[in-house]
Short mmCIF file of all heavy atoms in Angstrom, two decimals:
data_model
loop_
_atom_site.label_atom_id
_atom_site.label_comp_id
_atom_site.label_asym_id
_atom_site.label_seq_id
_atom_site.Cartn_x
_atom_site.Cartn_y
_atom_site.Cartn_z
N ASN A 1 101.53 -7.62 165.37
CA ASN A 1 101.74 -6.17 165.26
C ASN A 1 102.34 -5.88 163.96
O ASN A 1 103.15 -6.61 163.41
CB ASN A 1 102.66 -5.70 166.39
CG ASN A 1 102.06 -5.93 167.77
OD1 ASN A 1 100.84 -5.84 167.92
ND2 ASN A 1 102.89 -6.15 168.81
N MET A 2 102.00 -4.70 163.47
CA MET A 2 102.56 -4.19 162.22
C MET A 2 103.84 -3.48 162.51
O MET A 2 103.90 -2.65 163.39
CB MET A 2 101.64 -3.29 161.48
CG MET A 2 100.35 -3.99 160.94
SD MET A 2 100.79 -5.31 159.77
CE MET A 2 101.26 -4.34 158.33
N GLU A 3 104.90 -3.74 161.79
CA GLU A 3 106.15 -3.02 161.94
C GLU A 3 106.54 -2.57 160.56
O GLU A 3 106.29 -3.18 159.56
CB GLU A 3 107.27 -3.99 162.50
CG GLU A 3 107.10 -4.39 163.89
CD GLU A 3 108.30 -5.25 164.36
OE1 GLU A 3 109.05 -5.64 163.52
OE2 GLU A 3 108.32 -5.60 165.53
N THR A 4 107.30 -1.45 160.57
CA THR A 4 107.87 -0.93 159.30
C THR A 4 109.29 -1.42 159.20
O THR A 4 110.06 -1.27 160.13
CB THR A 4 107.81 0.56 159.31
OG1 THR A 4 106.46 1.03 159.49
CG2 THR A 4 108.34 1.13 158.04
N ARG A 5 109.60 -1.97 158.05
CA ARG A 5 111.04 -2.37 157.87
C ARG A 5 111.84 -1.12 157.86
O ARG A 5 111.43 -0.03 157.39
CB ARG A 5 111.15 -3.10 156.48
CG ARG A 5 110.53 -4.44 156.50
CD ARG A 5 110.83 -5.20 155.25
NE ARG A 5 111.76 -4.58 154.34
CZ ARG A 5 111.61 -4.63 153.02
NH1 ARG A 5 110.64 -5.26 152.44
NH2 ARG A 5 112.44 -4.05 152.23
N PRO A 6 113.11 -1.19 158.34
CA PRO A 6 113.95 0.00 158.45
C PRO A 6 114.19 0.68 157.11
O PRO A 6 114.26 1.89 157.04
CB PRO A 6 115.26 -0.61 158.95
CG PRO A 6 114.95 -1.81 159.63
CD PRO A 6 113.73 -2.38 158.91
N ASP A 7 114.15 -0.03 156.02
CA ASP A 7 114.43 0.62 154.71
C ASP A 7 113.13 0.84 153.91
O ASP A 7 113.17 1.38 152.84
CB ASP A 7 115.32 -0.28 153.90
CG ASP A 7 114.72 -1.61 153.47
OD1 ASP A 7 113.76 -2.06 154.15
OD2 ASP A 7 115.16 -2.22 152.54
N ALA A 8 111.97 0.58 154.55
CA ALA A 8 110.72 0.65 153.85
C ALA A 8 110.27 2.13 153.47
O ALA A 8 109.74 2.34 152.43
CB ALA A 8 109.61 -0.08 154.52
N ASN A 9 110.48 3.03 154.38
CA ASN A 9 110.03 4.35 154.23
C ASN A 9 111.17 5.30 154.25
O ASN A 9 111.15 6.30 154.97
CB ASN A 9 109.00 4.72 155.34
CG ASN A 9 107.76 3.88 155.25
OD1 ASN A 9 107.32 3.55 154.18
ND2 ASN A 9 107.32 3.46 156.40
N SER A 10 112.13 5.12 153.44
CA SER A 10 113.29 5.93 153.35
C SER A 10 113.76 6.29 151.97
O SER A 10 113.47 5.57 151.08
CB SER A 10 114.46 5.31 154.20
OG SER A 10 114.92 4.25 153.53
N ASN A 11 114.40 7.46 151.85
CA ASN A 11 114.95 7.85 150.59
C ASN A 11 116.43 8.05 150.70
O ASN A 11 116.91 9.07 151.18
CB ASN A 11 114.32 9.20 150.15
CG ASN A 11 112.90 9.12 149.78
OD1 ASN A 11 112.53 8.24 149.03
ND2 ASN A 11 112.10 10.05 150.22
N PRO A 12 117.24 7.05 150.30
CA PRO A 12 118.65 7.19 150.40
C PRO A 12 119.19 7.85 149.10
O PRO A 12 118.67 7.60 147.98
CB PRO A 12 119.22 5.77 150.45
CG PRO A 12 118.14 4.93 149.76
CD PRO A 12 116.83 5.64 150.01
N ILE A 13 120.13 8.74 149.23
CA ILE A 13 120.81 9.33 148.09
C ILE A 13 122.18 8.65 148.02
O ILE A 13 122.92 8.52 149.00
CB ILE A 13 121.04 10.90 148.37
CG1 ILE A 13 119.66 11.55 148.43
CG2 ILE A 13 121.84 11.41 147.20
CD1 ILE A 13 119.76 12.96 148.80
N THR A 14 122.44 8.12 146.81
CA THR A 14 123.59 7.19 146.66
C THR A 14 124.65 7.71 145.70
O THR A 14 125.55 6.89 145.32
CB THR A 14 123.06 5.83 146.19
OG1 THR A 14 122.36 5.98 144.96
CG2 THR A 14 122.10 5.19 147.20
N GLU A 15 124.53 8.99 145.27
CA GLU A 15 125.63 9.42 144.43
C GLU A 15 125.70 10.93 144.55
O GLU A 15 124.82 11.63 145.09
CB GLU A 15 125.49 9.04 142.97
CG GLU A 15 124.14 9.20 142.44
CD GLU A 15 123.91 8.68 141.01
OE1 GLU A 15 124.26 7.51 140.79
OE2 GLU A 15 123.39 9.43 140.19
N GLY A 16 126.79 11.53 144.08
CA GLY A 16 127.00 12.96 144.12
C GLY A 16 127.44 13.43 145.50
O GLY A 16 127.84 12.67 146.39
N LYS A 17 127.38 14.83 145.73
CA LYS A 17 127.81 15.39 146.91
C LYS A 17 126.99 14.95 148.13
O LYS A 17 127.44 15.05 149.30
CB LYS A 17 127.78 16.93 146.85
CG LYS A 17 128.85 17.45 145.97
CD LYS A 17 128.93 18.98 146.02
CE LYS A 17 130.08 19.53 145.22
NZ LYS A 17 130.12 20.97 145.31
N SER A 18 125.78 14.47 147.87
CA SER A 18 124.91 14.07 149.01
C SER A 18 124.93 12.59 149.26
O SER A 18 124.06 12.08 149.98
CB SER A 18 123.51 14.56 148.76
OG SER A 18 123.43 15.95 148.75
N ASP A 19 125.84 11.84 148.63
CA ASP A 19 125.98 10.39 148.79
C ASP A 19 126.13 10.11 150.26
O ASP A 19 126.94 10.61 150.95
CB ASP A 19 127.19 9.87 148.04
CG ASP A 19 127.30 8.36 148.14
OD1 ASP A 19 126.37 7.66 148.55
OD2 ASP A 19 128.37 7.84 147.72
N GLY A 20 125.19 9.29 150.81
CA GLY A 20 125.13 8.85 152.18
C GLY A 20 124.03 9.54 152.95
O GLY A 20 123.85 9.21 154.12
N TRP A 21 123.33 10.47 152.38
CA TRP A 21 122.25 11.14 153.01
C TRP A 21 120.98 10.28 152.89
O TRP A 21 120.71 9.68 151.86
CB TRP A 21 121.99 12.47 152.30
CG TRP A 21 121.03 13.38 152.93
CD1 TRP A 21 119.71 13.56 152.62
CD2 TRP A 21 121.30 14.38 153.98
NE1 TRP A 21 119.18 14.54 153.41
CE2 TRP A 21 120.13 15.12 154.22
CE3 TRP A 21 122.46 14.70 154.68
CZ2 TRP A 21 120.09 16.09 155.18
CZ3 TRP A 21 122.38 15.71 155.67
CH2 TRP A 21 121.17 16.33 155.89
N ARG A 22 120.22 10.16 153.97
CA ARG A 22 119.01 9.34 153.91
C ARG A 22 117.91 10.05 154.70
O ARG A 22 118.16 10.44 155.89
CB ARG A 22 119.22 7.96 154.54
CG ARG A 22 117.96 7.03 154.53
CD ARG A 22 118.22 5.70 155.18
NE ARG A 22 119.18 4.90 154.45
CZ ARG A 22 118.91 3.87 153.64
NH1 ARG A 22 117.63 3.61 153.44
NH2 ARG A 22 119.83 3.21 153.05
N LEU A 23 116.76 10.19 154.13
CA LEU A 23 115.55 10.73 154.82
C LEU A 23 114.63 9.52 155.20
O LEU A 23 114.39 8.71 154.30
CB LEU A 23 114.80 11.73 153.91
CG LEU A 23 115.57 12.95 153.51
CD1 LEU A 23 114.80 13.68 152.45
CD2 LEU A 23 115.92 13.76 154.64
N ILE A 24 114.24 9.46 156.45
CA ILE A 24 113.49 8.30 156.89
C ILE A 24 112.16 8.87 157.45
O ILE A 24 112.12 9.77 158.29
CB ILE A 24 114.22 7.57 158.03
CG1 ILE A 24 115.62 7.14 157.48
CG2 ILE A 24 113.45 6.37 158.53
CD1 ILE A 24 116.58 6.73 158.57
N TYR A 25 111.06 8.29 156.99
CA TYR A 25 109.74 8.73 157.34
C TYR A 25 109.02 7.70 158.15
O TYR A 25 109.02 6.52 157.83
CB TYR A 25 108.91 9.15 156.12
CG TYR A 25 109.57 10.09 155.23
CD1 TYR A 25 110.35 9.72 154.17
CD2 TYR A 25 109.52 11.46 155.50
CE1 TYR A 25 111.01 10.64 153.37
CE2 TYR A 25 110.14 12.41 154.74
CZ TYR A 25 110.84 12.02 153.68
OH TYR A 25 111.53 12.88 152.87
N CYS A 26 108.34 8.14 159.24
CA CYS A 26 107.61 7.21 160.06
C CYS A 26 106.37 7.85 160.63
O CYS A 26 106.15 9.10 160.61
CB CYS A 26 108.47 6.83 161.33
SG CYS A 26 110.09 6.18 161.04
N THR A 27 105.47 7.07 161.16
CA THR A 27 104.28 7.51 161.87
C THR A 27 104.46 7.19 163.32
O THR A 27 104.77 6.01 163.64
CB THR A 27 103.01 6.90 161.34
OG1 THR A 27 102.94 7.22 159.91
CG2 THR A 27 101.83 7.42 162.06
N GLY A 28 104.34 8.15 164.20
CA GLY A 28 104.49 7.95 165.66
C GLY A 28 103.32 7.22 166.24
O GLY A 28 102.32 6.96 165.62
N SER A 29 103.45 6.92 167.50
CA SER A 29 102.41 6.11 168.25
C SER A 29 101.08 6.90 168.31
O SER A 29 100.04 6.28 168.51
CB SER A 29 102.90 5.79 169.63
OG SER A 29 103.21 6.92 170.35
N GLU A 30 101.10 8.21 168.18
CA GLU A 30 99.89 9.03 168.26
C GLU A 30 99.48 9.50 166.85
O GLU A 30 98.71 10.44 166.77
CB GLU A 30 100.08 10.13 169.26
CG GLU A 30 100.23 9.68 170.62
CD GLU A 30 100.45 10.75 171.65
OE1 GLU A 30 100.15 11.94 171.32
OE2 GLU A 30 100.81 10.47 172.79
N GLY A 31 100.02 8.92 165.79
CA GLY A 31 99.65 9.25 164.44
C GLY A 31 100.43 10.39 163.87
O GLY A 31 100.23 10.82 162.78
N GLU A 32 101.38 10.96 164.63
CA GLU A 32 102.17 12.06 164.13
C GLU A 32 103.20 11.59 163.14
O GLU A 32 103.66 10.50 163.17
CB GLU A 32 102.87 12.80 165.29
CG GLU A 32 104.00 12.07 165.95
CD GLU A 32 103.62 11.04 167.04
OE1 GLU A 32 102.43 10.65 167.08
OE2 GLU A 32 104.50 10.75 167.85
N GLN A 33 103.45 12.49 162.16
CA GLN A 33 104.46 12.21 161.06
C GLN A 33 105.82 12.58 161.55
O GLN A 33 105.98 13.68 162.00
CB GLN A 33 104.07 12.91 159.82
CG GLN A 33 102.73 12.49 159.20
CD GLN A 33 102.79 11.05 158.81
OE1 GLN A 33 103.68 10.60 158.09
NE2 GLN A 33 101.80 10.29 159.25
N LEU A 34 106.74 11.69 161.46
CA LEU A 34 108.14 11.91 161.92
C LEU A 34 109.09 11.76 160.67
O LEU A 34 108.86 10.97 159.83
CB LEU A 34 108.50 10.89 163.00
CG LEU A 34 107.65 10.81 164.20
CD1 LEU A 34 108.03 9.53 165.00
CD2 LEU A 34 107.71 12.02 165.00
N GLU A 35 110.10 12.59 160.75
CA GLU A 35 111.09 12.56 159.68
C GLU A 35 112.48 12.56 160.36
O GLU A 35 112.74 13.37 161.22
CB GLU A 35 111.02 13.73 158.73
CG GLU A 35 112.11 13.71 157.64
CD GLU A 35 112.01 14.88 156.69
OE1 GLU A 35 110.97 14.98 156.08
OE2 GLU A 35 112.94 15.63 156.59
N PHE A 36 113.29 11.61 160.01
CA PHE A 36 114.68 11.54 160.55
C PHE A 36 115.66 11.70 159.45
O PHE A 36 115.34 11.31 158.27
CB PHE A 36 114.95 10.16 161.24
CG PHE A 36 114.04 9.93 162.39
CD1 PHE A 36 112.82 9.27 162.28
CD2 PHE A 36 114.37 10.39 163.73
CE1 PHE A 36 111.95 9.04 163.33
CE2 PHE A 36 113.52 10.16 164.75
CZ PHE A 36 112.33 9.54 164.59
N VAL A 37 116.81 12.23 159.69
CA VAL A 37 117.81 12.46 158.66
C VAL A 37 119.06 11.63 159.19
O VAL A 37 119.47 11.75 160.36
CB VAL A 37 118.19 13.91 158.56
CG1 VAL A 37 119.37 14.08 157.57
CG2 VAL A 37 116.96 14.72 158.04
N GLN A 38 119.60 10.83 158.27
CA GLN A 38 120.87 10.10 158.56
C GLN A 38 121.91 10.56 157.63
O GLN A 38 121.62 10.67 156.42
CB GLN A 38 120.56 8.61 158.41
CG GLN A 38 121.69 7.70 158.74
CD GLN A 38 121.24 6.25 158.61
OE1 GLN A 38 120.68 5.89 157.58
NE2 GLN A 38 121.56 5.42 159.59
N ALA A 39 123.12 10.80 158.13
CA ALA A 39 124.24 11.18 157.28
C ALA A 39 125.40 10.25 157.54
O ALA A 39 125.91 10.22 158.61
CB ALA A 39 124.68 12.62 157.57
N LEU A 40 125.76 9.47 156.54
CA LEU A 40 126.81 8.51 156.61
C LEU A 40 127.78 8.65 155.39
O LEU A 40 127.46 9.32 154.43
CB LEU A 40 126.26 7.06 156.62
CG LEU A 40 125.20 6.70 157.72
CD1 LEU A 40 124.60 5.37 157.42
CD2 LEU A 40 125.90 6.77 159.05
N GLY A 41 128.89 8.04 155.53
CA GLY A 41 129.85 7.98 154.41
C GLY A 41 130.36 9.31 153.90
O GLY A 41 130.67 10.19 154.80
N PRO A 42 130.35 9.56 152.58
CA PRO A 42 130.89 10.79 152.07
C PRO A 42 130.24 12.07 152.60
O PRO A 42 130.86 13.06 152.86
CB PRO A 42 130.62 10.64 150.54
CG PRO A 42 130.58 9.18 150.30
CD PRO A 42 129.95 8.59 151.53
N VAL A 43 128.90 12.04 152.72
CA VAL A 43 128.20 13.26 153.22
C VAL A 43 128.52 13.55 154.64
O VAL A 43 128.63 14.74 155.04
CB VAL A 43 126.68 13.23 152.93
CG1 VAL A 43 125.97 12.40 153.92
CG2 VAL A 43 126.06 14.59 152.85
N LYS A 44 128.75 12.49 155.43
CA LYS A 44 129.17 12.68 156.85
C LYS A 44 130.50 13.38 156.90
O LYS A 44 130.72 14.26 157.68
CB LYS A 44 129.18 11.39 157.62
CG LYS A 44 129.56 11.59 159.08
CD LYS A 44 129.55 10.26 159.82
CE LYS A 44 129.83 10.45 161.27
NZ LYS A 44 130.93 11.36 161.66
N GLN A 45 131.40 12.97 156.01
CA GLN A 45 132.72 13.59 155.94
C GLN A 45 132.58 15.10 155.59
O GLN A 45 133.34 15.92 156.13
CB GLN A 45 133.65 12.85 154.99
CG GLN A 45 135.11 13.39 155.02
CD GLN A 45 135.73 13.15 156.37
OE1 GLN A 45 135.67 12.04 156.90
NE2 GLN A 45 136.29 14.19 156.97
N THR A 46 131.71 15.38 154.66
CA THR A 46 131.47 16.80 154.25
C THR A 46 131.02 17.58 155.49
O THR A 46 131.52 18.72 155.77
CB THR A 46 130.38 16.86 153.14
OG1 THR A 46 130.90 16.18 151.99
CG2 THR A 46 130.07 18.32 152.83
#
């Protein structure tokens, strides 16, 4: 089975006011495009 590595389809922001923000892109089981947002570290505190 093909699997996507957790970091393979993501855009992490690593500096500035948005440090800790990550956009994660996936394709769902029915071919739909999914986008998840993760907020960690400094941006989570904001």
Side-chain angles (χ1 to χ4, degrees):
N1 294 330
M2 292 299 287
E3 289 183 354
T4 302
R5 289 188 7 217
D7 66 339
N9 296 322
S10 68
N11 289 318
I13 298 173
T14 58
E15 48 187 50
K17 288 186 176 184
S18 296
D19 183 12
W21 190 264
R22 180 184 295 259
L23 300 172
I24 304 162
Y25 304 96
C26 306
T27 301
S29 61
E30 297 180 12
E32 70 275 23
Q33 295 298 307
L34 305 170
E35 178 180 301
F36 298 92
V37 176
Q38 185 178 45
L40 301 171
V43 80
K44 181 179 183 319
Q45 188 62 52
T46 299

